[in-house]
Amino acid sequence: MAGEQKARRIPVRQCLGCNEHLPKASLIRVVRSPEGEISLDTTGKKSGRGAYICKKSACFKKARKNGRIASTLGVAISEEIYDAIEAELSAQE
């Protein structure tokens, strides 16, 4: 008993595209900074409001079409920003 360690809890987040609950490390975070700027957060450490998406472009397209990213972040997102995020996701795949 003395040498046993508690099992660490793995943080889980929900993908806005497929609605699956997955480990936070396997998802990509879209973040709205306190200044209102939208960007991808590959480290998971940027400050601001976050929305999580699988690393699949299909999930991003579905979340974009349904407006779930904008509603989760509480801000209107322009098409240029969506296109830039989609290009970054494609580069990571």
Side-chain angles (χ1 to χ4, degrees), residues 2-59:
E4 289 182 31
Q5 287 186 336
K6 273 179 111 175
R8 289 187 67 113
R9 192 176 68 85
I10 298 171
V12 176
R13 300 291 183 266
Q14 184 175 7
C15 171
L16 293 177
C18 62
N19 290 327
E20 285 188 49
H21 287 82
L22 300 164
K24 184 178 169 183
S26 69
L27 298 169
I28 294 174
R29 184 174 183 237
V30 180
V31 66
R32 183 195 74 214
S33 69
E35 295 80 37
E37 183 183 318
I38 306 293
S39 63
L40 275 186
D41 181 11
T42 53
T43 63
K45 300 197 185 297
K46 287 185 181 178
S47 66
R49 177 82 176 149
Y52 293 86
I53 302 172
C54 291
K55 294 181 180 177
K56 300 176 211 147
S57 58
C59 282

Side-chain angles (χ1 to χ4, degrees), residues 53-88:
I53 302 172
C54 291
K55 294 181 180 177
K56 300 176 211 147
S57 58
C59 282
F60 175 75
K61 288 176 183 171
K62 187 173 181 183
R64 176 182 181 174
K65 179 182 171 200
N66 295 336
R68 294 197 61 197
I69 299 170
S71 68
T72 299
L73 297 178
V75 66
I77 302 173
S78 70
E79 291 300 314
E80 293 83 28
I81 294 172
Y82 275 130
D83 293 339
I85 292 171
E86 192 166 7
E88 279 188 66

